[in-house]
Amino acid sequence: MSTYKKIVLASRPQGQVSPDNFRLEEAQVPAIGDGQILVRNHYLSLDPYMRMRMEDVKSYAAPQEIGAVMVGGTVGEVVESKNPKFAVGDKIVGMMGWAEMGVSDGVGLRRVKDGPIPLSAYLGSVGMPGMTAWYGLTQIMQPKAGETIVVSAASGAVGSVVGQLARERGCRAVGIAGGPEKCAYVVNELGFNACIDYKAGNLQADLKAATPDGIDAIFENVGGEIFDACVARMNPFGRIALCGLIAGYDGEPMVLNNLRNFLTMRLSMRGFIVSEHPEFWPQGLQELGELVASGKLKFRESVAEGLAAAPEAFIGLLKGRNFGKQLVKLV
Amino acid sequence: MSTYKKIVLASRPQGQVSPDNFRLEEAQVPAIGDGQILVRNHYLSLDPYMRMRMEDVKSYAAPQEIGAVMVGGTVGEVVESKNPKFAVGDKIVGMMGWAEMGVSDGVGLRRVKDGPIPLSAYLGSVGMPGMTAWYGLTQIMQPKAGETIVVSAASGAVGSVVGQLARERGCRAVGIAGGPEKCAYVVNELGFNACIDYKAGNLQADLKAATPDGIDAIFENVGGEIFDACVARMNPFGRIALCGLIAGYDGEPMVLNNLRNFLTMRLSMRGFIVSEHPEFWPQGLQELGELVASGKLKFRESVAEGLAAAPEAFIGLLKGRNFGKQLVKLV
């Protein structure tokens, strides 16, 4: 194998992301230097944050450069090593981007053991999405047993973990998802107490029925009118972990209409990016790894086959077409 | 003196508060029972929170009852006592409402000493408004030396203290106020680094010029487009203490347009009511009292004469016509 495929950002989206924004390229497998390793990626993770990186706007990270390999988390295997810390065959988690292979000096890579946790889970429940859920729940929402928490995009990689961790802590967990199939999964498979289908056109009444004692904490992934409806049902001293605003990633105004409730109910809200809190990762990954290994923390994956399928899979993710953690299988 | 005057809520406002919403009544001075004291109020405090109490909506406090004496903070003097803890002549701070006199069992009253602090200041910088500023600044905004803080309604009872306490802590303090006279006072008398006149019609540019390094923390009293403009200039990890939304107290929608910045800049916001945090009062009042006694913490008062003037003074406060802490002198 002398060449490998990679996907670069061809152009920035005008509104919605389109396949034209990406370009598949073929590159020579490079010779590695001292201290480097060559990695063959098994899975690429597709995540909503990538949409924001495609914009050329001030945000928490530098924008993705035009012509550069799209940013992305990966799990893979060392296939050649001139770095004494890594051996051929080692499984590693890192940010190698939308590419079949990559060269690294090992910085920022995490070695994971073969065991009861499937390799792909390190991109989901035992990886960045799982840690995002863990951090938002334990550090911002801080729910007590008996409290009601609500999470949007509840069948997704992050939301599914939020609700299950909340159940572990004795909370009432209410999800919001699109369509009866996802909602049934959230309740029957993930064990949430209730799940509201926002596509059913009955949001206010369904939300009221699912949260008879109000809402004590929200994990927000979406934004828009659903978020406003949740804020309107918050109890005094409610906490909001603001993780994503996927409804606004194409440039739509992201408005909070219920600002008044922040005052009358003394609510708090904090936006966060889990990568900025590395001090919590060991503790969080420990809990998540144990729960996945024991089968208590369930997850579901949508797997696209082959790197060339990544752009369509990513566009589907932004529209909620995926069901569970969206991955691309590369080997 | 066998009768005294009081003002009761006659009706709830439909939109803006009008003088018709109040009714001046004359009442018999009651005979006091064992454990009670009779208080003659010297000053009544007028504060924006009273507007929200006039509504019959779910909020942090029960609404003011129709026909009951309007709620309000007062300083006064014990004129008769059958309570061993209080002597005739004692000066006390409490919530005796819009009334010239009142009977109390002493619960919730605070005795204050005659000294360098004027009695009226216990309704302002060394009272609830001062504590509101102190709590929001030290517990929510938590500014470090060198950071930039912005406070709206900067010449008012709360805002004036926020900026001065921030200056004491080595911050750049930027105020927002209505009109050149108030702005000149905020900078020249209170020592803020800058003050923006929101009536000058140049908000965005003036705000940019006054906050060249962005904004690290906001103390928000008003809401609306000025608040949005401030949120747009916040630095990563900025903190917002949400104290009031006076622009929305007549029922206007209170919208936050810049929700996206909470995510991209990882902002946090918390609404608060200082009376819910009594554990901080001794520490805060100690600092505020020392600063007022030594002349370092400056304040200004708007004093209406006589209880009958209270409704118009309150309506003026809601429209920003007052200049500094709004009081009503009762004796």
Side-chain angles (χ1 to χ4, degrees), chain A residues 154-156 159-161 163-164 167 184-192 296-300:
Chain A
S155 70
S160 61
V161 179
Q164 291 181 87
R167 293 290 294 142
Y185 166 74
V186 165
V187 173
N188 300 332
E189 299 295 319
L190 301 182
F192 283 47
K296 281 186 193 163
L297 185 63
K298 300 197 172 69
F299 60 92
R300 178 172 177 141

Side-chain angles (χ1 to χ4, degrees), chain A residues 35-46:
Chain A
Q36 295 186 327
I37 58 175
L38 181 66
V39 177
R40 181 164 175 72
N41 296 324
H42 289 205
Y43 289 96
L44 164 67
S45 175
L46 296 179

Side-chain angles (χ1 to χ4, degrees), chain B residues 32-116:
Chain B
I32 60 173
D34 274 353
Q36 295 186 328
I37 57 176
L38 182 66
V39 178
R40 181 164 175 72
N41 297 323
H42 289 205
Y43 288 96
L44 164 66
S45 176
L46 296 179
D47 300 279
Y49 75 85
M50 297 164 171
R51 175 65 185 83
M52 290 173 77
R53 297 287 187 91
M54 296 174 79
E55 298 284 326
D56 187 15
V57 294
K58 192 177 165 192
S59 182
Y60 49 82
Q64 168 82 46
E65 299 288 345
I66 299 281
V69 173
M70 281 289 298
V71 66
T74 50
V75 288
E77 184 175 358
V78 177
V79 291
E80 197 183 337
S81 177
K82 291 188 179 176
N83 182 320
K85 293 181 186 155
F86 293 89
V88 169
D90 280 354
K91 303 296 193 306
I92 54 112
V93 183
M95 297 289 292
M96 308 289 284
W98 294 27
E100 292 175 336
M101 302 190 83
V103 173
S104 168
D105 61 1
V107 174
L109 295 186
R110 184 161 63 97
R111 194 166 23 211
V112 295
K113 291 181 200 143
D114 290 317

Side-chain angles (χ1 to χ4, degrees), chain B residues 226-248:
Chain B
I226 301 173
F227 180 42
D228 264 320
C230 291
V231 171
R233 286 197 59 73
M234 286 205 94
N235 294 325
F237 307 109
R239 292 84 59 194
I240 299 168
L242 184 63
C243 174
L245 291 169
I246 201 168

Side-chain angles (χ1 to χ4, degrees), chain A residues 237 263-266, chain B residues 49 52-53 59-61 132 135 140 242-243 270-278 281:
Chain A
F237 307 108
L263 186 59
T264 55
M265 291 290 134
R266 293 83 86 209
Chain B
Y49 75 85
M52 290 173 77
R53 297 287 187 91
S59 182
Y60 49 82
T132 300
Y135 181 86
I140 301 178
L242 184 63
C243 174
R270 176 150 75 87
F272 74 104
I273 308 295
V274 73
S275 57
E276 293 178 329
H277 306 282
W281 283 60

Side-chain angles (χ1 to χ4, degrees), chain A residues 196-306:
Chain A
I196 294 153
D197 177 4
Y198 70 84
K199 293 180 176 173
N202 209 17
L203 181 70
Q204 305 273 358
D206 289 349
L207 189 61
K208 191 172 178 184
T211 61
D213 300 325
I215 300 172
D216 299 294
I218 296 173
F219 192 105
E220 187 55 38
N221 289 310
V222 179
E225 63 182 25
I226 301 173
F227 180 44
D228 265 320
C230 291
V231 171
R233 285 198 61 71
M234 287 205 94
N235 293 325
F237 307 108
R239 293 83 58 194
I240 298 168
L242 184 62
C243 174
L245 291 168
I246 200 168
Y249 286 176
D250 292 336
E252 302 85 344
M254 276 286 101
V255 172
L256 171 74
N257 286 293
N258 255 322
L259 181 61
R260 199 186 308 263
N261 275 38
F262 277 78
L263 186 59
T264 55
M265 291 290 134
R266 293 83 86 209
L267 308 181
S268 63
M269 173 167 71
R270 176 151 74 88
F272 74 104
I273 309 293
V274 74
S275 57
E276 293 179 329
H277 306 283
E279 69 278 19
F280 289 99
W281 284 59
Q283 183 191 351
L285 290 178
Q286 176 80 19
E287 179 179 351
L288 294 164
E290 287 169 6
L291 288 170
V292 167
S294 69
K296 281 186 193 163
L297 185 63
K298 300 197 172 69
F299 60 92
R300 178 172 177 141
E301 296 169 344
S302 273
V303 183
E305 291 288 332

